Amino acid sequence: MSVALSAGVSGLQAHQRMLDVAGANLANVNTTAYKATKVSFSELFSQTLVNASSPTQTAGGTNPQQIGAGVGIASVVRNTAQGGIVKTGNPLDVAIEGEGYFVAFDGGKDVYTRAGTLAVDENATLVDVSTGFRIQRTTSTGEADGFQIAGDSTIRIPFDQPMKPKATTQVDLTGNLSANLSLATAQTQLLTSNITFTENGVNASAATELADLDQMSFTGASASAGTTTLAITGFTHAGTAISATATFSFTDEMDDLLTAIKTAIDSAISAQGESTTVAVALSGGQILITDSASGYSKMDFNMTYADTGNTTLKMPGYYEMTTVGGDEVKDISITVFDGAGAPHTLSGALVRTDTANTWDFLVTAVTGQVNAITNLGRRIDGISFDADDGGFKGIPSTGDKIVTIQFGDGTATAQNVTFDLGTVGKFTGLTQVGGPSTAVATDQNGFAKGDLASLSISNEGTVVGAFSNGIKRDIAILKLALFRNPLGLEALGKGYYAPTVNSGTAVATRALTGGAGSLQGSALEKSNADVATEFVNLIQAQNGFQANARTIRVANDILRELTQLIR
């Protein structure tokens, strides 16, 4: 009778635990990333009344006679099946779809969780919003940009750290240059000074005296007396390098300076045995230099004033190519950035040369403050194409694909910009086939200063920052951990787990690597507790509890009846 009582008591205790498990699962039916548990029973040690006997020649064998001593808890197993994924709209919410656990630091050790409710704290650190535990990262992503600190696996979100500007060092050109079409009328090269000469803020005229120009400054009572010179360097229509000196005085008018420039250039061209000349005029305060011959031209000039006296005259840093000479010209433009991150519109032109299947690229103008662009620094000569298929063949071995610009950004070093024209023998950049010219500047690698505007998390676990300058950068990569036996993890509460001797040690990895699952940004994993299943478990626990209570009651009645026999 005592066995019946003790068995009933064990049954009550076991089914009470079953009820506890079902209740906990139901309580956490809406807990983020909760994993339901299931209780399993096993019988306790059985009392043997009669041992088994083996068969003999005259009698068969007998089975043992045993009475169970009750029931006990065999296991409480966590169901690690995937929970449903629900979108939240919060960019810092993240769910694991597949194997793995997020790694967080609780101040003393790493702990592990599937709940990806993340936030940024006051110290710009990525943390679990419910505990403040610091989420950990893997790899060196973000360190080169200064977002993360080498040797520290804490994830910093650089809301307080602007992205430094980057000067443009490369521009990509793609598209076609016509092999068979030409302009109706060949263009004539026209140069325009990149500065406007003014007198008291008003555009200068041909009659403006040089001493009255706003671009002229001097120390003392008056400008340098007598004649002075202007050094001119550049190239003729045919591309011959020349140098010349224009002589004038500050008592002259602008028209006198223009005449001096023309005379000096024409004399230098004539000295080279060439017949072309230039026309020099003033329009809207800007100096215009026009080639006398139309068609492909390399005419370009730089002018420098270097007075030995007390006077300074600011001259153009370069001449814009308002019109590019040639019978087929394709204009392009793209925004580039100087070393301070200031944007400039770089305009250029691809012009067909007098050599078959060959083009030049040249910078025609750059907006903003530009101190200088040299004659050679603005051109890429000899861009050649295959006569048969129109594929890019390259440029001469003595040339390069670089243009050089001295921006007025306070940087002493001129800025070199490499133009990617394509891969030789392939159609990845510029081509020359029949049809219209379609070449464009498609991309460049510079950008302005930017502040972090928003965050997102990719399937690979990369925290991606979108900055106000339109640039996206990888901030960090979330660390995941895998365990050989996830069922061996010990629950710590608040969705966290710690490894045990039976779970195996954590294996650090990242999403979609080494068996780890993928991540879903702006989403959370729901609890995998099933309400219907838990209701059935409640009924089973109740029935089991009632049945064991009835066992105790019957045993108690029998004992009571037994005690009545002695009265």
Side-chain angles (χ1 to χ4, degrees):
M1 196 62 63
S2 62
V3 172
L5 286 172
S6 62
V9 170
S10 68
L12 291 179
Q13 293 173 336
H15 285 87
Q16 181 179 342
R17 289 288 178 261
M18 183 178 181
L19 185 64
D20 292 340
V21 169
N25 290 339
L26 287 172
N28 288 282
V29 72
N30 289 313
T31 300
T32 299
Y34 175 77
K35 300 302 179 185
T37 53
K38 180 181 180 181
V39 63
S40 298
F41 298 151
S42 64
E43 64 175 344
L44 297 179
F45 175 76
S46 296
Q47 178 183 358
T48 301
L49 302 179
V50 178
N51 292 323
S53 64
S54 60
T56 66
Q57 292 181 349
T58 60
T62 60
N63 296 323
Q65 298 178 14
Q66 295 178 299
I67 300 176
V71 65
I73 303 297
S75 64
V76 179
V77 180
R78 186 176 299 106
N79 177 13
T80 59
Q82 177 71 47
I85 303 295
V86 57
K87 288 291 184 179
T88 64
N90 183 351
L92 287 181
D93 285 342
V94 56
I96 302 175
E97 188 172 10
E99 299 297 320
Y101 294 82
F102 297 113
V103 182
F105 185 70
D106 68 357
K109 64 183 181 303
D110 285 342
V111 289
Y112 308 91
T113 184
R114 298 266 304 185
T117 50
L118 311 182
V120 181
D121 68 8
E122 183 181 2
N123 295 326
T125 301
L126 191 64
V127 298
D128 180 345
V129 70
S130 64
T131 63
F133 294 169
R134 295 181 174 181
I135 303 301
Q136 302 295 283
R137 65 183 178 93
T138 186
T139 77
S140 61
T141 297
E143 293 178 7
D145 290 317
F147 302 143
Q148 309 303 328
I149 301 173
D152 183 0
S153 58
T154 298
I155 298 177
R156 294 183 63 256
I157 304 300
F159 282 114
D160 59 343
Q161 179 182 341
M163 178 187 291
K164 296 179 181 179
K166 181 180 184 297
T168 298
T169 58
Q170 179 171 314
V171 173
D172 299 334
L173 298 183
T174 59
N176 186 53
L177 297 172
S178 180
N180 61 330
L181 300 180
S182 299
L183 298 171
T185 303
Q187 296 182 163
T188 301
Q189 191 112 313
L190 169 63
L191 307 179
T192 304
S193 62
N194 78 319
I195 66 169
T196 300
F197 291 92
T198 58
E199 179 185 359
N200 297 323
V202 178
N203 292 345
S205 68
T208 301
E209 290 190 7
L210 300 182
D212 295 331
L213 291 174
D214 297 332
Q215 288 69 39
M216 194 272 291
S217 61
F218 56 86
T219 58
S222 62
S224 299
T227 60
T228 187
T229 58
L230 188 68
I232 303 173
T233 58
F235 293 87
T236 68
H237 175 96
T240 305
I242 63 169
S243 60
T245 301
T247 303
F248 63 96
S249 70
F250 285 106
T251 59
D252 289 340
E253 298 177 346
M254 279 295 296
D255 191 48
D256 299 319
L257 175 62
L258 302 180
T259 301
I261 292 173
K262 173 179 170 55
T263 300
I265 293 175
D266 285 348
S267 297
I269 294 174
S270 178
Q272 298 298 324
E274 299 179 19
S275 60
T276 58
T277 59
V278 298
V280 184
L282 189 70
S283 177
Q286 293 177 289
I287 298 175
L288 309 183
I289 303 177
T290 307
D291 199 342
S292 64
S294 61
Y296 174 69
S297 173
K298 285 193 170 182
M299 183 193 76
D300 191 17
F301 304 106
N302 284 118
M303 300 179 186
T304 305
Y305 174 74
D307 183 71
T308 57
N310 67 337
T311 306
T312 300
L313 177 62
K314 181 180 180 181
M315 293 302 293
Y318 73 104
Y319 277 83
E320 298 175 356
M321 292 190 177
T322 308
T323 304
V324 177
D327 65 357
E328 177 62 7
V329 179
K330 181 63 177 73
D331 295 322
I332 64 100
S333 68
I334 191 171
T335 299
V336 298
F337 297 85
D338 63 26
H344 303 262
T345 299
L346 183 150
S347 298
L350 289 149
V351 56
R352 183 188 292 150
T353 73
D354 293 334
T355 302
N357 305 307
T358 304
W359 296 64
D360 288 351
F361 172 80
L362 50 95
V363 175
T364 56
V366 181
T367 61
Q369 183 63 44
V370 177
N371 290 342
I373 302 177
T374 64
N375 307 133
L376 293 175
R378 74 192 305 173
R379 300 186 72 98
I380 300 174
D381 292 326
I383 303 170
S384 61
F385 298 90
D386 190 283
D388 295 326
D389 63 12
F392 177 57
K393 286 183 64 177
I395 63 173
S397 59
T398 55
D400 56 41
K401 304 174 186 176
I402 298 173
V403 300
T404 303
I405 304 170
Q406 179 67 64
F407 288 107
D409 58 357
T411 304
T413 306
Q415 185 169 322
N416 291 331
V417 180
T418 300
F419 280 74
D420 185 353
L421 309 176
T423 303
V424 174
K426 297 185 178 180
F427 288 77
T428 56
L430 294 177
T431 61
Q432 182 192 254
V433 296
S437 294
T438 60
V440 293
T442 56
D443 198 12
Q444 59 85 41
N445 64 347
F447 46 80
K449 168 185 170 294
D451 296 311
L452 184 60
S454 63
L455 294 169
S456 62
I457 300 175
S458 72
N459 291 348
E460 295 81 14
T462 303
V463 181
V464 180
F467 289 77
S468 59
N469 56 8
I471 302 299
K472 290 186 176 181
R473 281 287 184 269
D474 293 345
I475 304 298
I477 295 178
L478 297 176
K479 181 190 288 188
L480 295 185
L482 297 175
F483 294 90
R484 180 167 296 181
N485 176 27
L487 296 179
L489 293 172
E490 178 184 357
L492 301 176
K494 295 189 176 182
Y496 280 93
Y497 302 92
T500 66
V501 292
N502 198 41
S503 66
T505 57
V507 178
T509 185
R510 57 178 294 184
L512 296 176
T513 302
S518 66
L519 299 187
Q520 297 292 327
S522 300
L524 291 173
E525 182 183 7
K526 297 175 63 178
S527 168
N528 69 354
D530 180 69
V531 175
T533 299
E534 300 307 326
F535 279 174
V536 171
N537 290 339
L538 283 179
I539 294 172
Q540 292 176 335
Q542 181 182 22
N543 289 340
F545 191 92
Q546 290 174 338
N548 282 276
R550 182 58 60 88
T551 298
I552 295 174
R553 180 177 177 180
V554 171
N556 181 60
D557 288 344
I558 292 174
L559 287 175
R560 186 183 300 112
E561 187 66 27
L562 183 62
T563 59
Q564 294 296 326
L565 294 177
I566 62 175
R567 293 184 178 178

